[in-house]
């Protein structure tokens, strides 16, 4: 409490220094009222937009859907950002954290003209205003969030928590850009948001832009106060200072006081940002820059009805959605609505044609400076192709199938290093990961760049630098949010992650997939952006020392629930196929590409030419491993994923040795979606092609990287589905040896051979003998690992074609 | 910086006030060395546990797996907590946030005897020590995390981020309990952890226990410094003060200084906790209690090798895993390992039989005061059955199928209110939710309790109270973490959540499911705990004003990937079935129950007796809706979920009106897992029963709540799978009307009728006419909603058997 007088004093000083002359104050308030008027109109009206007639029920929508509570604050901020953009010629985007902010952002983009530019059917006149009102949250209209449909948006705010990470992602490598990021106090309670504040330790004022966080404390969620609004002002300040910011408080409910205070504060923070950037750009960046931010404390539903039915509404959670409802039953509510809308004095704001008066229209920035027209918020406009090295140059040379061992992701690391290098000047490629870039064997990247690090360093530190382009923080949420923001503003990237823990961002993935679906299909003015590329490694089969909690291949299942138009899943079996797939993904647009590949030493199967052909088809027969040439096979051995491929080939080796007359066809799947119908997924095989590969009546033993039933779900319409037998991870595991993992899940070579014997008829007495041998092998294996703690040499030293079981 | 001297002074004062006499200091250091010795032994050795012979390669495990870095700090804390437990007779558990902490926790529980009590094959002697060493991260042995196998654990730490929420969950309603919660500085970067600090606003010192967070800054993750270790000390302090704590710093690397400092600090914080609790319990709780916490800053890999191969190791990330590796190739590493282990002077710690010397053994608490034996960490031991009201008393009375409308979750709310009331004295039931309890229509709860709230209140607040038993914070992670902690310590609860956003906790769900799988099957000493019950409402079909981002029914898909033994999914179609299912779930043990039910007004189908019968079977023919009595049907109309049930019945209504000769069988599925094989899931129908219900050859039109392919994945082995045609959510939606949502996804009544016509042969000319009529209906619908913004009365006013289309 001791500091309060000082703070008050500082506040007064800022107010007194207000840059607003009286007419400017009047105008900015009018602009704000215009946005508020349009916001209320969107929530309630379908006609009579200018209230030229007395308001009747016919003018009001039948379903009242929308969220008033957050809107006036969003509008207040927008009006003031417009002013500083103009005053300082700023390049700024507006990231809207609070949910359901669309009425405000739609209103403002309509006022500044950017809305009408992309939606000419909603002109800046009375007819347009009527459409603007009616379309909101109306069938066939627009969503209530700042969805992709909203010009200037890169953050829907439908699911809360990602605004700040998106804002930081947007300004990395955009030195000229400021992302004004409104964080709702509801959103601020989420985990992803709570840790995203620390993004400032990864922002370099010399070559990145700036984020201006505006923590909007309106005090309430749907039916509760918010935590940050109910801790002491001192604790809040400590918290934000502790996060590394310099908070400025703008607090009040009287517009005539709030406008000067906000204007002066914005001038102050913009000056501070520019000072920081200037210093860093002339003298080099220093650690732990303390960036300014704003705490805006205003009443929820500010300027809305103070009381409804005798209950406090403005400044309370009752303002959250539609403060006045049941208009049909309560005529006084209709009257209150009319009074409320008229309190904004629309006649002072719009002319008789419904067009914003010129002195107000002049307050908005021009052209691309308008936040609804800033090209950074439609990143595809700015997207440059990556310069990609020839991936074939990184090929592992193969003397024979399985003759060489390699760590696939390490090979990929070499390629990524040169992708990084070639695009260093363009500064449009970053690699994200939660502390795992080295562990995932991508360390070649550190030959050309470092890890981004703006906190303190010590002499012993390695590969930490302010301009590093590998971004590591132990928060999958932050990595994902940064990357999304980076991509949405027209750049490229890759997220490498432990397979199991990518589930942490399941819900963020959902939102990005939905964004891509909507923009790709329904919003032509949104230009395609670079795909979001995941490398999932340290996968389920090789968690030797991490055990059960680190084993979950289910992200693929999660991904394939989303629209086929936007998702791709690749399971390259070795290094060369991984190179090929990576190159393909980095060139693609508007997809989410999931690549699953191991980081451990594994046999290499395909020379580069073969790998390219195999990846182009996505699926194919491995003739060198098959012995069904020129005839129908007796059994199809299919595999997808590096470990399943290894076990399948080892099983085939045993089969060919012990049952040489058995005709085996080996099929490898790189592109998982080839398994699905052509009608369901664009990569899907036709039924004819599928039948040609998998036969229509022979047993198929399919070893799959993930949960086995996914393969059934993808193939249940295929002719030969009834003969499909899938092995995969069935949630059995612990800290044990690599081979024991496949044994625990019945996907090891011995089990696969047993599966063949069980399903191929008439194998005769050799088969019976072989089954006993397989059982003995399992016993031998268990005894061996229990004694030695490692897998038996027969397994670890197995080579294709060299033994025979 | 101005405050440093003062802090130094305070530190000195605390040191001087140290409660440790010289021999106590010597003993506690010895105890710590013993734990460190045992930790290193677990990582490296398989034999020669007491180093009685010169160390050779034969004594060392072939695979070196483990994490040394965090361990000495964990051991240091354990030894000191033992001291305060004894000194103040505390009831304390140890929550281990840092990953891979098992060597430390296993060592300590072995030292105190609790390990051997549950694992008698690992006695407290040399033979036991050898087993203890060998089993660690060894095939057939134990995991490297503080997994369920570890006595005293309720938090594995395999996936980082949940320690603090678990700790708070553990102490709610356990006034006597202190959860000492070690938060690693890696973990502290995760979102869930970053927001869990705010749990202190929900902890009531009068009737809850206390959490003692110990932020362990050892500075490094796998290959990076940590953020919190590299911000200024002032910022860190501000951050923690801002979170509402009173941080005490214990920093250093010299044991002789650190022991007194830690001891004095622990006495101080325990005194502070007791003062807070005493004040609250005698004079009532006050808002925003400032709880003490500890920041422990020690070198990573403390007491380990200072340098390895000339590179800094102690106090650096190279200590993260196994500081000395490649022992076979580098004889000097073997020598260093022996030196390192001998530096703990095992001969002073253990007698010739490998038993801890009595003066050291005396340092551990006794019986249940030992943290490895505290029954709160094996909650099933303390679990009391809930007192449940007769759920039939809450039944909606049904005059006929569909004659009444009700909000299912509101009816459930009445039941939950009385569950809450009946167990108020036992204080063992809580309801969690991210600000949605009212929105989800469970507000009847507020007739008997309030929302937990320990921050500031205002006069206008409603239903906020320090002893409220409904817990709302806008963080699904925190809700889930609290509930897991609450359940794991032997209590009961329910988590109600918007369906789409439960994906936010996908990964937490994974970990809890894995925990239950392991404890249920493999660890007999862990007693069954209450099930984790989810109510998913505000579901995909009724996001009228939230739109696309709020539509995702895929959590069910995620859940069914886990072991059948631990997961259950229920889709009650109306209020009475919801009551019945809820009662069932609240009685169950060791499951994760997912209940999906809408909150909007919907027709009610089953009277309570019928509901009970239907839920007991989990699936059944609704004879009143079918007209195939006594014969094979022409078509089976199946449904799961409230909206699909409505559309199916409306479709059947149309069919029976227009095609009265068509024999329709209606099947409703409440328990989704009945669809799967008996062999795959214990609730699964036998093939015979399935065939009896679904026929072996008639078309099945299945309207399902979620993604349609899940039904295929569950039923692909069923005889009649080839005739199964599933409708469900296929990722189409926006802000639109309820009926338009089903139309967009081809699951509306008209589409379902068309599906029947397309699949049932020989329906004749009426069918052709009907198809045209259905097409017209779709056009009529689109026109109507575009004009009116609401669904057409024909749809909204439809009643079973009253119209006929």
């Amino acid at each position: 409490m001791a500091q309060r007088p000082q703070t008050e004093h500082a506040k007064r000083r800022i107010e007194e220094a207000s840059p607003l002359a009286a007419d400017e104050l009047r105008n900015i308030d009018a602009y704000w009222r215009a946005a508020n008027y349009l916001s209320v109109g969107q929530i309630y009206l379908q006609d009579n937009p200018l209230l030229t007639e007395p308001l009747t029920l016919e003018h009001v929508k039948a379903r009242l859907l929308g969220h008033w509570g957050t809107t006036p604050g969003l509008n207040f901020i927008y009006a003031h950002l417009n002013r500083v953009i103009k005053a300082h010629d700023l390049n700024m985007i507006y990231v809207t954290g609070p949910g359901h902010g669309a009425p405000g952002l739609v209103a403002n983009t309509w006022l500044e003209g950017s809305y009408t530019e992309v939606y000419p059917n909603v002109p800046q006149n009375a007819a347009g205003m009527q459409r603007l009102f009616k379309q909101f949250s109306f069938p066939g209209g627009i969503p209530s969030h700042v969805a992709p449909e909203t010009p200037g948006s890169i953050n829907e705010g439908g699911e809360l928590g990602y605004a700040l990470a998106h804002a930081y992602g947007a300004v990395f490598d955009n030195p000229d850009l400021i992302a004004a990021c409104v964080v709702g106090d509801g959103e601020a309670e989420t985990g992803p948001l709570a840790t995203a504040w620390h993004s400032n330790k990864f922002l370099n004022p010399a070559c990145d832009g700036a984020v201006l966080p505006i923590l909007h404390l309106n005090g309430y969620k749907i039916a509760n106060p918010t935590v940050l609004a109910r801790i002491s002002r001192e604790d809040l300040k400590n918290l934000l200072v502790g996060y590394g910011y310099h908070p400025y408080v703008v607090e009040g409910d009287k517009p005539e006081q709030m406008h000067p205070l906000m204007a002066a504060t914005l001038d102050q923070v913009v000056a501070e940002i520019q000072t920081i950037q200037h210093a860093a750009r002339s003298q080099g960046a220093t650690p732990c820059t303390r960036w300014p931010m704003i705490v805006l404390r205003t009443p929820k539903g500010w300027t809305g009805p103070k009381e409804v039915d005798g209950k406090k509404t403005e400044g309370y959670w009752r303002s959250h959605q539609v403060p006045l409802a049941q208009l049909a039953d309560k005529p006084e509510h209709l009257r209150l609505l009319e009074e409320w809308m008229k309190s904004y004095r629309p006649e002072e704001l719009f002319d008789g044609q419904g067009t914003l008066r010129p002195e107000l229209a002049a307050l908005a920035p021009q052209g691309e400076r308008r936040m609804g027209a800033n090209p950074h918020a439609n990143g595809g406009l700015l997207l440059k192709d990556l310069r990609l090295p020839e991936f074939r140059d990184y090929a592992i040379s193969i003397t024979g199938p399985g003759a060489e061992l390699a760590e696939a992701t390490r090979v990929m690391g070499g390629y990524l290093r040169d992708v990084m290098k070639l695009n260093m000047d363009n500064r449009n490629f970053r690699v994200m990961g939660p502390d795992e870039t080295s562990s995932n064997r991508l360390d070649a990247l550190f030959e050309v760049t470092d890890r981004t690090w703006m906190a303190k360093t010590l002499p012993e530190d390695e590969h930490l630098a302010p301009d590093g382009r590998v971004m590591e923080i132990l928060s999958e949420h932050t990595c994902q949010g940064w990357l999304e923001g980076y991509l949405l503003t027209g750049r490229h990237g890759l997220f490498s992650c432990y397979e199991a823990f990518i589930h942490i961002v399941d819900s963020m993935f959902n939102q990005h997939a939905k964004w891509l679906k909507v923009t790709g299909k329904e919003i032509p003015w949104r230009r395609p952006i670079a795909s979001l590329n995941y490398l999932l490694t340290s996968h389920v089969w090789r968690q030797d020392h991490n055990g059960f909690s680190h084993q979950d291949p289910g992200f693929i299942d999660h991904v394939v629930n989303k629209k086929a138009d936007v998702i791709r899943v690749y399971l390259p079996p070795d290094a060369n196929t991984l190179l090929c797939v990576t190159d393909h993904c980095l060139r693609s647009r508007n997809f989410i590409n999931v690549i699953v590949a191991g980081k451990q030493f594994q046999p290499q199967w395909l020379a580069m030419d073969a790998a390219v052909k195999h990846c182009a088809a996505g699926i194919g027969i491995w003739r060198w491993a098959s012995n069904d040439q020129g005839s129908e096979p007796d059994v199809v051995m299919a595999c997808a994923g590096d470990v399943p491929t290894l076990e399948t080939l080892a099983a085939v080796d045993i089969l060919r040795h012990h049952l040489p007359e058995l005709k085996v066809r080996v099929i490898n799947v790189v592109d998982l979606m080839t398994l699905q119908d052509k009608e369901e997924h664009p990569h899907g095989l036709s039924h004819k092609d599928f039948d040609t590969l998998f036969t229509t009546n022979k047993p198929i033993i399919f070893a799959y990287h993930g949960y086995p039933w996914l393969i059934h779900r993808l193939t249940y319409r295929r002719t030969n589905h009834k003969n499909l037998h899938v092995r995969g991870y069935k949630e059995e595991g612990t800290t044990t040896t690599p081979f024991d993992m496949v044994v625990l899940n019945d996907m090891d070579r011995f089990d696969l051979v047993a599966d063949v014997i069980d399903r191929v008829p008439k194998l005769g007495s050799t088969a019976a003998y072989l089954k006993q041998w397989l059982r003995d092998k399992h016993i031998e294996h268990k005894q061996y690992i229990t004694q030695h703690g490692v897998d038996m040499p027969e397994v670890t030293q197995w080579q294709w074609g060299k033994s025979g079981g």
Side-chain angles (χ1 to χ4, degrees), chain A:
Chain A
M1 291 301 285
Q3 289 192 319
R4 290 303 299 288
Q6 212 179 354
T7 308
E8 286 297 327
H9 177 68
K11 194 173 138 187
R12 211 159 38 241
R13 259 195 325 153
I14 288 181
E15 278 173 347
E16 283 159 10
S18 173
L20 291 185
D23 60 332
E24 284 174 319
L25 191 152
R26 215 168 30 246
N27 279 339
I28 207 164
D29 186 67
Y31 200 95
W32 179 45
R33 283 187 280 121
N36 286 342
Y37 180 83
L38 295 174
S39 302
V40 184
Q42 289 176 75
I43 295 172
Y44 284 95
L45 299 193
Q46 57 183 358
D47 211 345
N48 191 16
L50 287 164
L51 296 180
T52 42
E53 304 169 44
L55 191 65
T56 70
L57 275 181
E58 284 70 50
H59 302 139
V60 176
K61 300 186 203 186
R63 293 192 315 162
L64 296 178
L65 304 172
H67 287 65
W68 167 245
T70 185
T71 306
L74 293 175
N75 290 340
F76 181 80
I77 294 165
Y78 207 104
H80 280 271
L81 293 178
N82 277 347
R83 192 194 65 80
V84 284
I85 290 171
K86 279 186 67 120
H88 307 281
D89 190 28
L90 301 179
N91 182 6
M92 188 178 267
I93 60 172
Y94 190 118
V95 179
T96 314
H100 296 283
L105 278 287
V106 167
N108 275 290
T109 51
W110 188 80
L111 286 173
E112 74 190 16
S114 57
Y115 198 88
T116 303
E117 278 168 24
V118 294
Y119 301 112
N121 64 329
V122 189
Q124 291 179 287
N125 57 29
M129 196 189 291
Q130 184 267 334
R131 279 194 205 138
L132 190 80
F133 286 3
K134 184 168 177 183
Q135 70 175 8
F136 175 79
S137 271
F138 198 87
I142 63 164
S144 64
H145 299 101
V146 190
E149 287 88 344
T150 316
S153 172
I154 60 161
N155 179 76
E156 152 148 357
E159 178 172 325
L160 303 178
Y162 316 128
L164 204 47
H166 284 165
Y168 275 94
V171 304
F172 292 139
D173 297 318
N174 269 329
D176 191 35
L177 186 64
I178 301 177
C181 178
V182 185
V183 176
D185 49 353
E187 174 171 36
E189 293 177 14
T190 67
L193 200 293
T195 202
W197 293 107
H198 290 299
S199 302
N200 52 7
K201 283 92 194 177
F202 300 84
L203 186 82
N204 182 348
C207 46
D208 298 325
V211 172
L212 172 57
I214 301 170
L215 176 62
H216 186 201
L217 293 182
N218 68 27
Y220 296 91
K221 296 167 284 190
I222 304 180
N224 269 301
T226 58
V227 169
L228 294 190
R230 295 290 181 93
I231 60 176
S232 71
R233 281 165 168 78
E234 290 73 22
D235 273 0
L236 180 64
K237 188 186 155 199
N238 281 325
L239 184 67
L240 298 170
V241 169
Y243 276 131
Y245 295 88
H246 182 182
Y248 289 87
V249 178
V250 177
E251 175 173 358
D253 58 2
K254 297 196 178 53
E256 64 279 14
Q257 290 170 356
M258 289 293 280
H259 287 302
L261 182 60
M262 185 69 171
T265 305
L266 274 174
D267 279 352
Q268 171 71 26
V269 298
V270 167
E272 221 165 292
I273 287 170
Q274 290 176 334
T275 304
I276 290 167
Q277 291 180 334
H278 180 75
R281 289 166 199 187
S282 54
Q283 300 145 44
T286 50
C288 290
T289 302
R290 187 169 297 282
W291 295 92
M293 66 166 289
I294 293 173
V295 177
L296 176 66
R297 200 186 281 261
T298 62
K300 184 145 190 159
W302 194 14
T303 74
K306 297 241 177 299
E307 277 200 353
V308 176
D309 302 334
K311 290 188 171 165
K312 182 177 169 78
T313 303
E314 190 197 28
Y316 200 52
W317 53 254
R318 285 196 198 86
S319 288
H320 183 72
Q321 297 191 9
V322 180
L324 297 162
Q326 301 165 283
L327 300 195
D329 304 330
K330 299 188 175 171
E332 73 278 18
H333 281 199
L334 186 68
R335 191 184 48 75
L336 275 173
L337 171 62
E338 191 170 18
E339 262 178 33
W340 173 18
M341 291 193 72
K342 288 198 162 166
S343 75
Y344 299 121
R345 306 193 298 281
E347 66 287 357
E348 296 177 12
L349 313 172
F350 305 101
D351 65 19
Q353 277 66 54
T355 303
L356 189 65
R357 294 191 181 276
E359 69 276 17
L360 301 184
L363 297 185
Q366 297 297 305
E368 294 190 349
R369 289 307 199 210
R370 292 170 301 171
M371 290 187 285
N374 192 310
H376 290 289
N378 183 6
L381 290 172
L382 303 175
L383 184 65
K384 285 183 190 169
D385 286 351
L386 276 180
R387 299 174 61 196
L388 292 176
E390 174 51 55
F391 68 91
R392 289 172 183 81
D393 296 347
Y394 303 82
I396 295 280
S397 83
I398 302 283
T399 57
E404 282 79 23
L405 294 179
E407 298 157 303
T409 57
R410 194 180 295 284
V411 176
M412 179 186 181
Y415 171 75
L416 289 177
R417 172 198 59 216
D418 292 347
V419 175
M420 185 61 83
K421 202 162 136 191
L422 282 171
N423 297 281
M424 201 65 88
D425 294 342
N426 283 337
R427 301 188 63 80
N428 63 346
F429 179 66
R430 294 207 182 208
V431 174
M432 318 277 172
D435 189 32
E436 293 156 11
T437 307
S438 279
S439 158
N440 290 339
R441 314 277 196 269
L442 304 177
D443 12 358
L445 281 161
F446 299 124
E447 296 168 23
V448 298
T449 189
D450 296 301
R451 299 180 179 93
T452 322
W453 189 258
M454 293 298 305
K456 276 193 229 161
T457 51
L458 295 176
E460 58 261 40
D461 286 333
E462 290 167 44
H463 297 309
L464 301 182
D467 62 350
R469 307 187 63 71
V470 172
M471 309 201 63
E472 300 197 321
I473 183 170
L474 212 162
S475 162
E476 286 80 0
H477 292 112
T478 308
C479 293
Q480 170 89 12
W482 285 344
L483 182 54
E484 288 178 2
Y486 200 65
L487 300 175
L488 287 162
T489 48
R491 282 81 62 77
H492 305 262
L494 175 89
F495 181 1
S496 102
C497 190
Y498 275 34
E499 183 183 40
F501 299 147
I502 198 67
H503 273 303
I504 290 170
V505 299
D506 273 2
S507 211
M508 298 183 77
F509 158 86
N510 278 352
Q511 298 305 330
H512 192 68
K514 282 172 181 279
W515 183 283
L516 291 178
K517 183 243 178 184
V518 173
T519 56
K521 282 270 186 188
E522 298 159 30
I523 312 182
W525 61 265
R526 286 232 179 237
R527 305 294 296 277
I529 59 170
S531 299
L532 197 168
N533 302 306
Y534 292 104
L535 169 67
L536 306 187
T537 183
S538 299
H539 63 51
V540 54
W541 299 107
R542 296 305 305 272
Q543 289 298 340
D544 313 7
H545 62 287
N546 288 313
F548 194 43
S549 62
H550 285 50
Q551 294 163 353
D552 190 300
F555 188 65
I556 302 173
D557 302 61
H558 181 67
V559 164
V560 300
N561 273 344
K562 289 287 163 288
K563 275 289 174 188
D565 300 330
V566 300
I567 60 104
R568 302 288 182 266
V569 181
Y570 300 98
L571 295 147
D574 65 3
N576 287 342
T577 47
L578 175 59
L579 282 169
C580 186
V581 161
T582 305
D583 176 83
H584 178 78
C585 292
L586 289 178
R587 291 174 194 277
S588 73
R589 297 287 181 270
N590 266 14
F591 295 141
I592 298 179
N593 297 308
V594 180
I595 308 172
V596 185
K599 68 183 187 184
Q600 309 288 349
F601 278 105
Q602 286 265 91
Q604 301 298 304
W605 309 111
L606 301 188
M608 188 45 99
D609 285 350
V612 170
K613 244 185 246 172
H614 187 47
C615 291
I619 183 172
I621 298 173
W622 280 7
R623 300 211 177 274
W624 53 268
S626 311
N627 65 346
D628 65 328
Q629 277 78 353
S631 65
E632 276 271 295
D634 298 311
V635 64
V636 175
M637 302 287 283
C639 47
D642 51 7
V643 167
T645 300
L646 170 62
E647 291 307 312
T648 294
L649 289 169
V652 170
D653 209 19
I654 296 170
L655 286 168
R656 290 180 61 178
H657 180 86
H658 288 276
L659 299 167
E661 66 293 345
L662 183 77
K663 292 205 176 69
V664 181
R665 174 178 295 174
V666 176
I667 293 179
N668 183 269
V669 182
V670 179
D671 177 346
L672 194 67
M673 304 320 288
T674 56
L675 295 177
Q676 211 170 17
D677 267 67
K678 219 178 174 53
E679 287 165 31
E680 297 287 331
H681 195 284
H683 287 194
L685 291 181
S686 70
H687 283 302
K688 186 159 159 275
D689 289 345
F690 192 94
D691 291 351
T692 306
L693 282 178
F694 287 93
T695 81
T696 55
N697 56 6
K698 293 298 185 298
I700 308 166
I701 311 298
F702 199 129
Y704 169 57
H705 171 83
Y707 294 111
W709 32 85
L710 179 65
I711 301 300
H712 288 291
R713 166 230 194 285
L714 294 174
T715 59
Y716 66 84
R717 289 190 185 162
R718 302 300 192 174
T719 318
N720 199 19
H721 177 257
K722 62 189 172 303
N723 290 309
L724 175 64
H725 180 69
V726 188
R727 295 295 187 180
Y729 182 68
K730 46 179 202 177
E731 209 59 20
E732 292 295 338
T734 179
T735 39
T736 189
T737 67
F739 188 68
D740 197 42
M741 275 302 300
V742 285
V743 171
L744 287 173
N745 291 281
D746 303 334
M747 199 187 72
D748 63 284
R749 54 198 69 182
F750 307 125
D751 266 319
L752 295 177
V753 170
D755 285 338
V756 172
I757 295 173
D758 290 345
R759 276 161 189 83
V760 177
K762 299 183 206 159
L763 282 180
S765 58
T766 323
Y769 160 79
L770 194 51
K771 279 211 77 170
Q772 185 54 50
W773 180 82
L774 297 167
R775 273 192 289 272
D776 291 344
K777 283 291 165 196
H778 273 164
I779 295 167
E780 195 182 326
H781 153 72
K782 280 288 173 197
Q783 284 171 341
Y784 193 92
I785 61 166
T786 312
Q787 194 183 343
H788 299 277
V790 294
D791 284 322
M792 48 191 190
E794 171 183 345
V795 167
T796 54
Q797 291 166 21
W798 170 84
Q799 277 195 44
W800 170 253
K802 292 281 165 64
S803 71

